[in-house]
Amino acid sequence: MSEVDPANADAATAWDGPTGDVWADHADSFDAGVARYLPHLVEAAAIEPTMHVLDVGCGNGLTTREAARRAASATGVDLSTRMLDVARRRAAEEGIANVSFVRADVQIADLGEARYDRNISRNGVMFFADPVAAFANLARAVTPDGRLVLQVWQPMSENPWFTDFRRAVPSPVPPPDGPGPFALGDPDRVRSVLTAAGFAEPELRGVREPMYYGPDVATADRYVSAMLGGPLGELDEAARAEARAALRATLADHLGPDGVTYPSAMWIITAGRGSGW
């Protein structure tokens, strides 16, 4: 399932290239950064031992492995070959046998009909060029009494880590209704997209937890600078030095007893399949 919709070609090139490489290289840092949200996602998913789970945009596979520990089977899909390699290696190291990982564009991939009891995603479904088509595909893949369970960012204004980092390192801000981290931040858009795709009216539960970037400023600086490597690389030497100094300053401002943390906000979204199926 490696075919990519032409509309997602640029995203596939990035995720199966430099963007995905950054997340593969910093898998532990990302997992630690959003770790406080994991119990909320797991609770909402309510995975039972007989269930089959699809993890969309699985990245390095932590949520897929968590699902597999609770389910009959779990399948992770992503566009990044390197992250999928990390996911497979870690599943093998942890002795998890009921898990598989596939490179796929969920917008067009053949996911099967009513195959999965749960479609879950941790910050992996905000980047589709055609979200209605992607979620319609996921609706076909979920069982009639199954459930879609998503963790996505609330709007940019509720996530100062993003605005502070972009203030330090100038870069284009993705439109709220286009592919990007905050594409599902607006509850009205979430409802519109999911119901148009064939899901029932979704439930959104707001959750707030600190984002963790490291135990000290130097560690956080290495991690965040890697995430912002593209925008930093586009600056001339003087501007890059200024941006790096501004980045270290905001990280220092957020250093506390628990390390470098920023306020953040997510939606936990749940939806069953609509009555039209």
Side-chain angles (χ1 to χ4, degrees):
M1 289 196 296
S2 60
E3 185 180 355
V4 173
D5 189 296
N8 292 323
D10 289 345
T13 298
W15 286 109
D16 204 27
T19 300
D21 290 348
V22 168
W23 295 117
D25 290 339
H26 297 273
D28 291 335
S29 296
F30 175 75
D31 288 338
V34 295
R36 292 185 183 232
Y37 285 104
L38 184 60
H40 300 289
L41 180 64
V42 169
E43 179 186 15
I47 297 168
E48 299 176 2
T50 58
M51 290 182 173
H52 301 278
V53 179
L54 179 68
D55 186 6
V56 183
C58 68
N60 296 297
L62 183 143
T63 45
T64 323
R65 300 193 303 276
E66 289 293 327
R69 290 187 177 97
R70 296 164 170 80
S73 72
T75 301
V77 295
D78 203 279
L79 287 173
S80 169
T81 300
R82 274 205 61 203
M83 284 198 284
L84 291 171
D85 287 344
V86 172
R88 292 187 189 99
R89 184 175 69 250
R90 293 192 171 190
E93 291 169 350
E94 295 171 19
I96 302 173
N98 62 333
V99 66
S100 60
F101 296 96
V102 180
R103 185 176 186 272
D105 178 356
V106 169
Q107 191 167 306
I108 60 170
D110 180 4
L111 302 175
E113 182 76 23
R115 181 182 295 176
Y116 299 101
D117 303 285
R118 293 288 185 270
N119 290 347
I120 68 169
S121 181
R122 179 185 68 167
N123 302 101
V125 292
M126 300 93 76
F127 305 97
F128 300 119
D130 187 343
V132 172
F135 282 109
N137 206 16
L138 289 171
R140 283 188 289 271
V142 75
T143 59
D145 59 350
R147 188 185 306 171
L148 177 77
V149 184
L150 310 175
Q151 174 183 308
V152 303
W153 295 112
Q154 289 188 33
M156 189 189 312
S157 59
E158 302 299 318
N159 287 283
W161 58 271
F162 184 91
T163 51
D164 283 8
F165 293 166
R166 264 47 185 193
R167 191 176 299 116
V169 183
S171 60
V173 176
D177 58 350
F182 304 103
L184 295 176
D186 179 359
D188 289 337
R189 184 165 194 257
V190 170
R191 296 184 183 100
S192 174
V193 167
L194 292 186
T195 55
F199 284 100
E201 185 79 9
E203 175 186 330
L204 288 84
R205 178 168 63 90
V207 182
R208 294 179 181 272
E209 296 286 0
M211 281 284 290
Y212 173 78
Y213 288 96
D216 51 56
V217 172
T219 302
D221 181 41
R222 286 192 296 271
Y223 173 38
V224 178
S225 294
M227 286 195 298
L228 299 175
L232 281 169
E234 294 176 0
L235 301 175
D236 62 38
E237 186 174 350
R240 186 161 53 251
E242 182 178 348
R244 288 294 306 276
L247 183 58
R248 286 191 293 270
T250 182
L251 294 171
D253 287 343
H254 288 82
L255 177 64
D258 296 326
V260 178
T261 64
Y262 284 73
S264 70
M266 301 260 200
W267 296 118
I268 301 294
I269 302 169
T270 57
R273 219 160 76 158
S275 58
W277 291 90

